[in-house]
Amino acid sequence: MKKRFFMVLALASFGLNAQTNSELTKHFEAYYKQMKEHGDVQGVINALTHLDVLKPTQSRKDTLAYIYVSEGRYMEALNTIGIDKNQNDSNLNTEVKAIALKAINQPQRALEHYEVLFAKEPNPYLAYEIADLKMQVQDLAGAKTSVEYGLANATDDMKRTYYESQPPYQASLKAGFLYLKGILVFNENKDENVESALALLNHALAVDPSFKLAQLAKDALLSRPSKS
């Protein structure tokens, strides 16, 4: 009799917990919808975090991590989905890892994820990120390949956002590749290639005169002491 009593009590407790979880899930789903309508980002984060505890799914984790990245909260994004490359990762998951790892100055790890994205769907925007990262890790040959792809495929209407000054600004992506090529040429031989690098930076500025980063690079090269 006592054993039966505890069994009934356990089943009743399980049913109550299941009902409570179901009710909480419905509550936070409604809360999530409302926070989205209000544009309350922290509210959306809170709702997704609770839902991930109550009913975890990988797509929910990916969405939460993407919101963290969009808010510049890179470590929180990586803590949500990890940093390792996984063949089952969604494109969103891979993109979040790539952006966050680049932002926290982990170029080699970021590069792995950008290359996965490029292999799935090559485009000039990804080629720019790959070229920039390969230059950071001193893979100049790899960077050159990505730059040449970008110059061949970037169209005049493509823009990229730059953050080296405040406020951030947009510049021509084609000019961006010319800038990268100029820096690449200079790094290949810092004594002999100054004029060639300057010519490429001038070309970038001719394409987009408002490209501040190209102007900064040009000024830096012009200010270098000449060889005696």
Side-chain angles (χ1 to χ4, degrees), residues 191-203:
D191 293 323
E192 303 297 330
N193 289 355
V194 174
E195 292 302 320
S196 298
L198 282 170
L200 286 161
L201 294 172
N202 282 329
H203 190 180

Side-chain angles (χ1 to χ4, degrees), residues 17 19 23 31 44-45 65 67 75 81 88 102 120 141-142 146 162-163 186 193 200 203 206 215 221:
N17 286 335
Q19 184 178 10
E23 289 172 352
Y31 179 69
V44 168
I45 289 171
I67 295 171
M75 287 306 302
I81 59 172
N88 296 320
K102 183 178 181 181
K120 290 181 179 179
S146 294
Y162 289 85
Y163 297 92
F186 173 69
N193 289 355
L200 286 161
H203 190 180
Q215 186 64 56
L221 287 182

